[in-house]
Amino acid sequence: MTTHKTALIVGASRGLGLALAEAFCTRGWRVIATSRGKANGLDELGARYPGTLEHEHVDIDDLATVRALHDRLQGRQLDVLFVNAGIAKANELTPLDVAESDFLDMMRTNALAPMRVVELFHDRVDAGKGVIAVMSSEIGSIGNANGFWELYSASKAALNMLLASFHARHPGDRRAMLAVAPGWVRTDMGTQDATLDISDSIPRVVDVVEANAGKPGLRFVDRHGAILPW
């Protein structure tokens, strides 16, 4: 009997998350994909891959709904946990100019909320060959900071720091832990000025996830698997 690997993709209603769900489905994975509310793209994908895609609802910013998802998936082992969450506000502003509420929204959605998912679901990911991944950004690298979208960049740098701290709290963990930078992709958030189509990015991101199975350790990688400076 064929045993299908299972990926939980949190934040898969559209854009990069929906493309991740599709890429895993096309490779024969069972996929649990989440959205905040109605997601026509996921419904259509589920119709194309009946019995392969499960659609769950969760608001990543609402810890109670994340806990509820954790309870609903009780007993389910995951091979991959991939958390895709991101908002961009006040892109061209500086710390003096930004509204505190906008900055706090980005910190919550881009850093705190994804790591709460990792904290809750960590033990559900296969301890030997599992992969935990969060969607980061190359401009979240402090070492390569270039001043572009600095407030958004700070939120992704915070995500990277939280993942690194989580890894430090779990010495000897055999899971791969990845902060993945997909590149500057043309999406609603990335804008049409971006240099990559989704098809240039996400299949390679999934390649990287699959290639890191069974390779424990913390890595900040781009879509080609190259190591980025924290």
Side-chain angles (χ1 to χ4, degrees), residues 5 24 27 29 79-80 129-131 176-178 203-216 219 221-226:
K5 293 182 178 180
F24 277 106
R27 299 181 190 207
W29 287 64
D79 298 283
V80 167
K129 294 185 177 181
V131 179
M177 296 187 193
L178 308 176
R204 291 170 178 80
V205 167
V206 177
D207 289 342
V208 170
V209 170
E210 292 183 326
N212 276 274
K215 298 179 181 178
R219 290 175 284 281
V221 296
D222 68 13
R223 68 189 184 281
H224 301 295

Side-chain angles (χ1 to χ4, degrees), residues 4-10 29-33 54 69-70 73-83 117-118 120-132 175:
H4 294 274
K5 293 182 178 180
T6 300
L8 170 59
I9 303 171
V10 177
W29 287 64
R30 294 198 184 282
V31 175
I32 306 165
E54 301 174 43
L69 175 65
H70 181 266
L73 298 182
Q74 187 71 35
R76 300 283 295 275
Q77 179 175 283
L78 305 172
D79 298 283
V80 167
L81 168 64
F82 203 121
V83 189
V117 176
V118 171
L120 277 172
F121 284 91
H122 165 254
D123 288 342
R124 299 284 178 86
V125 180
D126 182 88
K129 294 185 177 181
V131 179
I132 294 171
R175 301 166 182 86

